Amino acid sequence: MTQHTLSHALEQDRQDELASYKNEFYMPADTIYMDGNSLGLLSKRAERTLLELLNSWKTLGIDGWTEGEHPWFYLSEQVGEKMAPLVGGMQGEVIATGSTTTNLHQLVSSFYKPDGIKTKILADELNFPSDIYALKSQLRLKGYDPDEHLIRIKSPDGRYLNENDIIEAMTEEVALVVLPAVLYRSGQVLDMERLTKAANDRHIPIGFDLCHSIGAVEHSLHKWGTDFAFWCTYKHLNGGPGSVGGLFIHEKHFGKAPGLAGWFGSKKESQFEMDHRMDPAEDAGAFQIGTPHVLSLAPVIGSLEMFEEIGMAKVREKSLALTDYMLELIKQELAEFGFTIGNPIDNTRGGHLLLEHVEAARICKALKEDGIIPDFRTPNGIRLAPVALYNSFEDVWHTVQKLKVIMDEKRYEKFENKRGVVA
Ligand SMILES: *Cc1c(COP(=O)(O)O)cnc(C)c1O
């Protein structure tokens, strides 16, 4: 095997159809960025569209709502349409709006209809805390004790969830199911199609959090019959810190009243009639609340151009090739250093890997000092995300080599094994 040589990495880069996209991005100086699953990098196209929208404000003032290259009034719908292929959404099913957590609140407010013994929300114990906080607070708002009414499916090993366990828990007491598409820590991709079918069969609305899956894996939400989904755009979609998120509402729910109403959920034609009776949009647009955050939406326009050009199938193909290669190198080069691979090694992994180690916090600090940007997740996780659009096989090779030197020379020992404030 020659896989451990730099020349093998360079050869794979030469054969990589997407290699040129690396030049579309700004790389922080002297670094190899492996943190695209937390905050994607700025692309030149995202910068361009941000400046275009800034300029429309500068030159048009209030007329920017209806004039200029990207009139602000229709932007959420337009960006929604561009995001739809990434989630497998049809016309009108996707809207760019809000953030992950606020969209989850909106969707639970709209889809959670407790009735009789059907009061429970089914979630999991591995989900991102914000989702769980939102679900608990929604239960409290309805007068239910979250300890009793929020079911969190247990993980057999602290890393993965078993779809059978989830389906078994879809009882007649369950009023709503909310699950991550890709687990933020282990990167496991849940079988959304199977879970959707099971929930549909039992007439329980089901929704997925796509934060770690959008832009990393393919989805067919419409075809599967998934009721709703929500996501952010600052991870694999490279929209920038706090960029506007998105949501999907299946066509079968068009006409449904939004739980949290606001004037931007109105039909476009009648919004400015200023009537006190709301006339909601027929489609996903109804789930918007207030004025869109135009300048935080602007970079997403440019970023999505690249996904449109390439298509998700190719993005996923390269992502899997990069993580496959990284796994292979980790096996070859790091076997003696006490790492555990915490992600699925088959194709049920998303866009990042998880290396577990008791010294993870300070190994991450040592990596950063050497110009490799990983992502620490307490208590013992090192997440590494070689991203299809801007990471190369060479990047992967250098990352593993650096890790090997750090472990070999115990260079992490000069740091404290504690996380930073943002980690
Ligand atoms: C990143 C992420 C969030 C963050 O939510 P915000 O509202 O954007 O702060 C929530 N849930 C999951 C699963 C995430 O990965």
Side-chain angles (χ1 to χ4, degrees):
M1 289 270 259
T2 55
Q3 290 196 332
H4 61 283
T5 62
L6 177 57
S7 61
H8 179 72
L10 295 173
E11 181 50 37
Q12 290 183 88
D13 284 331
R14 268 189 295 276
Q15 290 172 18
D16 171 18
E17 242 188 290
L18 306 187
S20 64
Y21 282 91
K22 199 179 184 45
N23 303 322
E24 300 250 6
F25 285 84
Y26 291 102
M27 295 289 151
D30 303 319
T31 61
I32 294 177
Y33 198 74
M34 287 286 154
D35 202 5
N37 61 326
S38 275
L39 180 70
L41 291 178
L42 173 64
S43 63
K44 291 170 188 168
R45 300 199 212 191
E47 178 183 51
R48 188 199 79 226
T49 49
L50 173 59
L51 292 175
E52 280 170 8
L53 278 266
L54 198 60
N55 197 51
S56 64
W57 176 29
K58 191 178 185 175
T59 56
L60 298 170
I62 187 113
D63 287 338
W65 283 108
T66 50
E67 290 172 24
E69 201 178 337
H70 305 286
W72 313 331
F73 192 56
Y74 305 99
L75 201 52
S76 307
E77 284 75 11
Q78 281 168 2
V79 176
E81 233 168 87
K82 298 271 183 205
M83 282 196 284
L86 302 182
V87 301
M90 308 282 283
Q91 180 80 28
E93 286 182 327
V94 177
I95 188 85
T97 190
S99 68
T100 307
T101 312
T102 59
N103 288 341
L104 174 56
H105 274 293
Q106 168 66 298
L107 292 161
V108 177
S109 302
S110 310
F111 282 87
Y112 175 53
K113 306 272 188 233
D115 183 22
I117 61 158
K118 222 177 182 32
T119 57
K120 297 190 175 168
I121 299 181
L122 182 59
D124 69 279
E125 67 166 0
L126 298 181
N127 205 342
F128 197 83
S130 197
D131 298 46
I132 299 298
Y133 302 161
L135 294 176
K136 285 186 179 177
S137 72
Q138 285 286 334
L139 283 165
R140 277 188 221 104
L141 278 171
K142 291 266 186 348
Y144 294 115
D145 178 0
D147 288 342
E148 213 180 298
H149 295 267
L150 180 67
I151 306 168
R152 285 182 299 154
I153 293 297
K154 290 225 169 342
S155 159
D157 53 10
R159 296 190 188 107
Y160 310 123
L161 296 171
N162 185 332
E163 282 92 356
N164 293 332
D165 297 343
I166 300 172
I167 292 169
E168 236 167 71
M170 293 180 184
T171 66
E172 58 189 18
E173 294 187 338
V174 174
L176 181 71
V177 182
V178 178
L179 294 164
V182 168
L183 272 60
Y184 78 97
R185 198 188 297 269
S186 70
Q188 178 191 9
V189 186
L190 289 182
D191 187 341
M192 289 176 267
E193 181 172 15
R194 184 173 164 219
L195 292 165
T196 295
K197 182 166 189 325
N200 284 352
D201 286 349
R202 293 160 181 75
H203 305 290
I204 308 169
I206 184 167
F208 291 100
D209 181 326
L210 309 187
C211 277
H212 276 86
S213 63
I214 191 163
V217 308
E218 295 174 87
H219 311 75
S220 305
L221 297 180
H222 177 85
K223 198 172 112 215
W224 296 336
T226 305
D227 295 285
F228 64 87
F230 53 99
W231 55 87
C232 65
T233 57
Y234 51 78
K235 291 170 182 167
H236 290 278
L237 292 189
N238 313 312
S243 55
V244 172
L247 60 80
F248 162 91
I249 302 282
H250 197 281
E251 194 178 42
K252 63 191 171 188
H253 298 298
F254 281 8
K256 188 181 189 59
L260 304 177
W263 73 317
F264 263 81
S266 302
K267 285 202 178 100
K268 289 285 177 216
E269 322 73 86
S270 56
Q271 179 174 340
F272 275 85
E273 280 171 17
M274 305 312 235
D275 199 301
H276 276 193
R277 263 171 325 173
M278 184 180 172
D279 184 14
E282 286 293 325
D283 54 15
F287 294 78
Q288 298 173 85
I289 301 178
T291 304
H293 301 178
V294 172
L295 296 181
S296 297
L297 191 49
V300 181
I301 307 169
S303 180
L304 288 173
E305 280 178 12
M306 286 178 275
F307 286 90
E308 194 176 9
E309 250 168 50
I310 302 166
M312 262 321 291
K314 281 190 179 162
V315 173
R316 174 65 167 158
E317 190 188 337
K318 179 172 173 192
S319 165
L320 282 172
L322 286 169
T323 48
D324 253 337
Y325 180 53
M326 191 175 242
L327 280 168
E328 199 51 50
L329 290 179
I330 288 168
K331 263 190 266 167
Q332 285 183 23
E333 306 281 359
L334 303 177
E336 66 198 278
F337 299 114
F339 287 101
T340 305
I341 291 179
N343 54 269
I345 51 174
D346 61 14
N347 285 3
T348 64
R349 64 174 186 273
H352 69 269
L353 299 183
L354 177 73
L355 275 181
E356 297 171 352
H357 198 284
V358 282
E359 306 284 6
R362 49 184 178 169
I363 293 171
C364 284
K365 289 177 191 170
L367 275 169
K368 269 196 150 163
E369 189 186 52
D370 274 353
I372 313 270
I373 313 298
D375 190 42
F376 174 68
R377 278 294 172 268
T378 193
N380 65 348
I382 303 169
R383 292 192 308 187
L384 296 168
V387 169
L389 263 56
Y390 52 76
N391 285 124
S392 60
F393 291 86
E394 186 186 359
D395 288 345
V396 169
W397 186 86
H398 283 298
T399 299
V400 177
Q401 288 304 314
K402 280 268 162 54
L403 204 45
K404 187 178 178 183
V405 173
I406 287 166
M407 299 313 292
D408 226 4
E409 299 176 3
K410 297 192 185 331
R411 281 160 62 173
Y412 54 86
E413 284 184 347
K414 68 176 184 182
F415 300 97
E416 244 194 316
N417 198 28
K418 269 172 64 179
R419 68 173 175 86
V421 179
V422 175

